[in-house]
Amino acid sequence: MTPSNLIGGHVFVAGGLAKGGLKYAADIGAEMVQVFVTNPRGWALSEGNPAEDAKLRESGVPVFLHAAYLVNCGSPTPETLENSIAVIRHTLRRGVETGALGVVVHTGSAVSQSREAAMRQIHERLLPVLDELPDDGPDLLLEPMAGQGQMLCATVQDLGPYLEALDHHPKVGVCLDTCHAFAAGHDLAAPGGVKEMMDALNEVAPGRLRLVHANDSKDPCGSKRDRHENIGAGHIGAQAFGELMRHPTAAGVPFCIETPGKADKHREDIELLKQLRGD
């Protein structure tokens, strides 16, 4: 029997990583959670609360961490690069402390330098961080972006050179965001569109899909705009998410919503995904 997909969401952690996060998860019916452990829009490295970490670790709820949005290992600016490596290193350490399965990191942009220079930089700076990871530590999950500007990874095919730059390290996985993929040109709403993308993913990164960010899109396919919408309310449509769950490449992979709204909307999105799963 194909393992089913756990369905959850990015949770608010006001009041504590476990206290606030697990309460919100229970409220929306989440079977897994994703959290920030630092300010998502800053470089500050927040230390954890060991008691909260332990509660999260012992909760039995699968946990994923998301690194700060500012991270860009392809940046030509030395300060941005140093800060990015520091944030990734810190978030991976927090992943060990919280028992997280993976740390999601945006694949970044070359900005004003060549793609080749950016990839060389990723090889030189990110590979040593991966080598420091304990075998039972979290995987580093590469999340392709919507394709705006000089993004290093947008389509799933772009993951090929990125994985090559990281020597296909065993601790590297993939986080696939449906809104990003749709914005980058994968037409998930078209007949056969989901299968085509997932087959391509399986070709370039076999066995590496660890997490799906399940988000509908406010904009049409190929827009290169990253604007999330509630499940079934956007241009992708609900059916594509059911097809995704049924594709063998996604077997057993958790689906995590990052959709607009608060608890009531998030509860509805998770309920709809559970129906599409066949509950």
Side-chain angles (χ1 to χ4, degrees):
M1 187 176 158
T2 308
S4 87
N5 309 88
L6 292 177
I7 293 164
H10 189 100
V11 298
F12 301 117
V13 296
L17 215 49
K19 192 178 176 191
L22 294 175
K23 181 177 180 298
Y24 193 83
D27 189 18
I28 62 174
E31 300 162 339
M32 56 71 63
V33 296
Q34 176 181 273
V35 295
F36 288 117
V37 290
T38 63
N39 174 357
R41 300 188 188 280
W43 293 120
L45 306 179
S46 329
E47 286 309 313
N49 174 328
E52 287 289 300
D53 291 351
K55 277 187 213 154
L56 200 56
R57 218 169 39 239
E58 292 154 16
S59 67
V61 177
V63 176
F64 291 83
L65 307 185
H66 199 305
Y69 294 133
L70 297 179
V71 165
N72 181 12
C73 294
S75 173
T77 308
E79 190 183 1
T80 301
L81 177 61
E82 293 308 324
N83 283 331
S84 297
I85 295 297
V87 165
I88 292 173
R89 194 172 259 130
H90 174 81
T91 312
L92 286 166
R93 178 170 66 76
R94 294 290 293 118
V96 173
E97 292 165 358
T98 54
L101 298 172
V103 167
V104 178
V105 64
H106 290 168
T107 42
S109 165
V111 193
S112 58
Q113 66 176 336
S114 70
R115 178 176 286 261
E116 293 70 31
M119 286 301 193
R120 195 160 54 245
Q121 192 167 284
I122 283 161
H123 174 80
E124 288 166 3
R125 298 304 306 275
L126 204 45
L127 209 47
V129 177
L130 292 167
D131 284 336
E132 292 165 12
L133 274 171
D135 288 346
D136 60 350
D139 289 335
L140 186 70
L141 308 185
L142 306 175
E143 180 180 7
M145 303 306 292
Q148 64 277 42
Q150 300 301 309
M151 289 294 164
L152 295 170
C153 243
T155 67
V156 298
Q157 287 88 345
D158 292 338
L159 283 162
Y162 212 101
L163 287 166
E164 212 167 285
L166 293 172
D167 291 354
H168 294 88
H169 198 283
K171 293 302 282 180
V172 176
V174 172
C175 170
L176 180 73
D177 186 307
T178 52
C179 177
H180 295 176
F182 190 68
H186 292 293
D187 193 352
L188 306 180
V194 166
K195 183 180 185 307
E196 191 179 313
M197 177 187 72
M198 294 300 274
D199 287 353
L201 175 62
N202 194 46
E203 205 166 297
V204 294
R208 289 188 189 263
L209 184 62
R210 298 280 181 275
L211 184 65
V212 171
H213 281 168
N215 302 305
D216 212 321
S217 173
K218 288 184 190 293
D219 297 293
C221 180
S223 69
K224 295 187 167 35
R225 297 181 74 187
D226 177 18
R227 298 201 308 150
H228 298 187
E229 182 56 284
N230 296 99
I231 306 298
H235 287 267
I236 296 175
Q239 186 183 333
F241 294 92
E243 288 175 24
L244 263 173
M245 283 187 244
R246 288 189 294 277
H247 194 283
T249 298
V253 174
F255 276 52
C256 175
I257 61 162
E258 299 174 317
T259 50
K262 297 214 165 74
D264 55 341
K265 282 289 195 188
H266 294 158
R267 199 179 302 116
E268 283 174 22
D269 282 339
I270 285 175
E271 191 45 51
L272 178 52
L273 286 174
K274 287 177 177 176
Q275 287 170 23
L276 291 164
R277 181 175 67 183
D279 288 19

